[in-house]
């Protein structure tokens, strides 16, 4: 249910074409809500059919021309309703954690190397988020919209900080395991 709301949010920030939305998802929204190009276009069609958005009139012939969309009042009302509604947190599902649990009974082969790979990935993501923070949120940029956007980025920074610390700790634990790893009993 959240992809249409992510699209409505992005279009309220700036009317865009499907391609522009895809690029913006890759650079910002996609850090916490990913969608493929096809999913975005499919959702744009649904939102338009529901009367929540409309294609902007093009000054040039439509053939081969990208359509840009804007949010209609009904779309703004839907986004306001959705953002004000209470939602329960989703249970966390993580394949790596499940694999660690399985390794406790079948052995740890391959797990340590993957923990190191994950640590590297999370360190890189953390560095990218910190770079975005430095670039996009300098001291004094504290309007209400900026503060809320910064909160979203801070969630990403805090999550990546958690994962880098946890993975470093997990690797320390691995270093203390017997060389044969955890085996089924």
């Amino acid at each position: 249910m959240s992809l249409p709301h992510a699209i409505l949010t992005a279009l309220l920030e700036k009317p865009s074409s499907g391609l522009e939305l895809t690029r913006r998802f890759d650079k910002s929204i996609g850090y916490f809500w990913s969608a493929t190009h096809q999913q975005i276009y499919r959702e744009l069609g649904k939102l338009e059919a529901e009367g929540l958005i409309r294609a902007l009139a093009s000054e040039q012939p439509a053939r081969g021309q990208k359509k840009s969309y804007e949010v209609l009042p009904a779309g703004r009302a839907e986004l306001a309703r959705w953002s004000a509604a209470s939602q329960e947190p989703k249970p966390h599902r993580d394949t790596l954690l499940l694999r660690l649990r399985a390794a406790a009974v079948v052995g740890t082969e391959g797990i340590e190397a993957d923990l190191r790979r994950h640590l590297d990935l999370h360190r890189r993501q953390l560095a990218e988020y910190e770079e975005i923070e430095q670039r996009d949120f300098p001291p004094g940029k504290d309007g209400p919209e900026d503060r809320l956007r910064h909160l979203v980025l801070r969630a990403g920074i805090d999550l990546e900080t958690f994962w880098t610390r946890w993975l470093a700790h997990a690797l320390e634990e691995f270093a203390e395991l017997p060389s044969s790893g955890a085996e089924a009993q």
Side-chain angles (χ1 to χ4, degrees):
M1 180 73 163
S2 294
L3 179 57
H5 298 101
I7 291 172
L8 288 170
T9 299
L11 289 175
L12 278 170
E13 291 173 344
K14 180 183 176 192
S16 305
S17 69
L19 180 58
E20 290 165 338
L21 280 172
T22 299
R23 289 179 180 150
R24 288 174 57 207
F25 265 71
D26 289 345
K27 292 180 182 175
S28 62
I29 293 172
Y31 286 121
F32 58 90
W33 197 269
S34 62
T36 66
H37 188 72
Q38 292 85 3
Q39 289 171 314
I40 290 171
Y41 273 96
R42 189 170 40 249
E43 203 58 51
L44 284 169
K46 290 178 187 176
L47 291 169
E48 189 173 25
E50 293 169 6
L52 302 178
I53 66 171
R54 72 171 169 205
L56 295 169
S58 177
E59 295 176 9
Q60 299 176 356
R63 187 171 176 84
Q65 193 68 14
K66 62 183 179 184
K67 272 195 226 179
S68 286
Y69 296 88
E70 69 178 355
V71 177
L72 295 170
R76 181 181 283 276
E78 168 53 23
L79 187 59
R81 181 209 60 77
W82 177 80
S83 67
S86 176
Q87 294 181 350
E88 295 300 315
K90 300 273 186 213
H92 183 73
R93 294 172 51 163
D94 191 289
T95 305
L96 179 62
L97 297 178
L98 182 57
R99 289 176 53 226
L100 272 175
R101 182 72 182 248
V105 293
V106 298
T108 61
E109 186 173 335
I111 297 290
E112 185 175 5
D114 208 34
L115 287 172
R116 290 186 191 289
R117 186 179 69 80
H118 277 251
L119 178 58
D120 183 54
L121 292 170
H122 284 286
R123 282 181 174 156
R124 282 191 268 152
Q125 189 64 63
L126 177 59
E128 186 174 340
Y129 285 164
E130 288 172 337
E131 182 181 311
I132 291 168
E133 183 178 43
Q134 291 295 313
R135 181 190 69 220
D136 293 350
F137 298 100
K141 188 173 183 180
D142 60 356
E145 289 178 356
D146 291 324
R147 291 175 75 176
L148 292 175
R149 288 182 184 122
H150 194 192
L151 272 175
V152 173
L153 178 60
R154 282 300 321 171
I157 290 170
D158 291 348
L159 284 169
E160 294 304 329
T161 299
F162 161 78
W163 281 112
T164 56
R165 288 179 182 164
W166 182 86
L167 286 159
H169 175 75
L171 286 165
E172 289 171 8
E173 289 289 327
F174 255 79
E176 295 179 14
L177 292 176
S179 60
S180 63
E183 299 298 330
Q185 297 180 2

